[in-house]
Amino acid sequence: MAVLAVGVLVVGVLCLVNGAPGPGPLKLVGHPVAAVIMLALQRIADRRTGKVAVGAGAGVLVVAGVAFSALWWF
Protein backbone atom coordinates (compact mmCIF):
# COMPACT_ATOMS: atom_id res chain seq x y z
CA MET A 1 0.00 0.00 0.00
CA ALA A 2 2.90 2.36 0.66
CA VAL A 3 4.21 1.90 -2.88
CA LEU A 4 0.71 2.43 -4.26
CA ALA A 5 0.36 5.61 -2.19
CA VAL A 6 3.62 6.98 -3.58
CA GLY A 7 2.53 6.05 -7.10
CA VAL A 8 -0.81 7.83 -6.72
CA LEU A 9 0.96 10.94 -5.41
CA VAL A 10 3.40 10.90 -8.34
CA VAL A 11 0.55 10.57 -10.83
CA GLY A 12 -1.29 13.39 -9.06
CA VAL A 13 1.71 15.69 -9.34
CA LEU A 14 2.26 14.78 -13.00
CA CYS A 15 -1.39 15.49 -13.78
CA LEU A 16 -1.20 18.81 -11.94
CA VAL A 17 1.90 19.85 -13.89
CA ASN A 18 0.43 18.79 -17.23
CA GLY A 19 -3.05 20.14 -16.61
CA ALA A 20 -4.64 16.70 -16.99
CA PRO A 21 -7.46 15.45 -14.77
CA GLY A 22 -5.89 13.52 -11.95
CA PRO A 23 -6.91 11.06 -9.25
CA GLY A 24 -8.76 13.64 -7.16
CA PRO A 25 -8.28 14.83 -3.58
CA LEU A 26 -9.96 11.83 -1.95
CA LYS A 27 -7.53 9.40 -3.56
CA LEU A 28 -4.54 11.69 -3.02
CA VAL A 29 -5.25 11.83 0.71
CA GLY A 30 -6.85 8.41 1.21
CA HIS A 31 -4.00 6.27 -0.11
CA PRO A 32 -1.28 7.76 2.14
CA VAL A 33 -3.59 7.68 5.17
CA ALA A 34 -4.46 4.03 4.54
CA ALA A 35 -0.77 3.23 4.02
CA VAL A 36 0.24 4.83 7.34
CA ILE A 37 -2.53 3.01 9.22
CA MET A 38 -1.65 -0.32 7.60
CA LEU A 39 2.07 0.09 8.30
CA ALA A 40 1.35 0.88 11.95
CA LEU A 41 -0.93 -2.15 12.29
CA GLN A 42 1.60 -4.38 10.56
CA ARG A 43 4.32 -3.18 12.91
CA ILE A 44 2.12 -4.11 15.87
CA ALA A 45 1.35 -7.51 14.33
CA ASP A 46 5.06 -8.18 13.78
CA ARG A 47 6.17 -7.23 17.29
CA ARG A 48 3.37 -8.58 19.50
CA THR A 49 1.96 -12.05 20.07
CA GLY A 50 -1.43 -13.52 20.77
CA LYS A 51 -4.73 -11.78 20.28
CA VAL A 52 -3.14 -8.38 19.78
CA ALA A 53 -1.10 -9.64 16.83
CA VAL A 54 -4.10 -11.39 15.31
CA GLY A 55 -6.25 -8.29 15.76
CA ALA A 56 -3.63 -6.06 14.17
CA GLY A 57 -3.23 -8.48 11.26
CA ALA A 58 -6.98 -8.54 10.74
CA GLY A 59 -6.96 -4.75 10.94
CA VAL A 60 -4.50 -4.62 8.05
CA LEU A 61 -6.89 -6.68 5.94
CA VAL A 62 -9.87 -4.55 6.95
CA VAL A 63 -8.11 -1.29 6.10
CA ALA A 64 -6.99 -2.75 2.78
CA GLY A 65 -10.55 -3.81 1.99
CA VAL A 66 -12.00 -0.44 2.95
CA ALA A 67 -9.35 1.43 0.98
CA PHE A 68 -9.91 -0.77 -2.05
CA SER A 69 -13.66 -0.40 -1.99
CA ALA A 70 -13.75 3.31 -1.13
CA LEU A 71 -10.87 4.52 -3.29
CA TRP A 72 -11.13 2.29 -6.34
CA TRP A 73 -14.79 1.30 -6.73
CA PHE A 74 -16.44 4.65 -5.95
Side-chain angles (χ1 to χ4, degrees):
M1 182 60 86
V3 173
L4 179 61
V6 171
V8 169
L9 291 174
V10 168
V11 168
V13 169
L14 289 174
C15 289
L16 181 66
V17 170
N18 293 325
L26 177 64
K27 291 182 181 178
L28 289 174
V29 173
H31 281 89
V33 168
V36 167
I37 293 170
M38 289 174 67
L39 287 171
L41 287 170
Q42 185 62 49
R43 182 177 173 110
I44 292 169
D46 288 342
R47 295 179 186 272
R48 302 287 298 267
T49 60
K51 292 180 182 179
V52 174
V54 172
V60 170
L61 297 175
V62 169
V63 172
V66 170
F68 178 71
S69 63
L71 299 174
W72 286 91
W73 286 104
F74 300 111

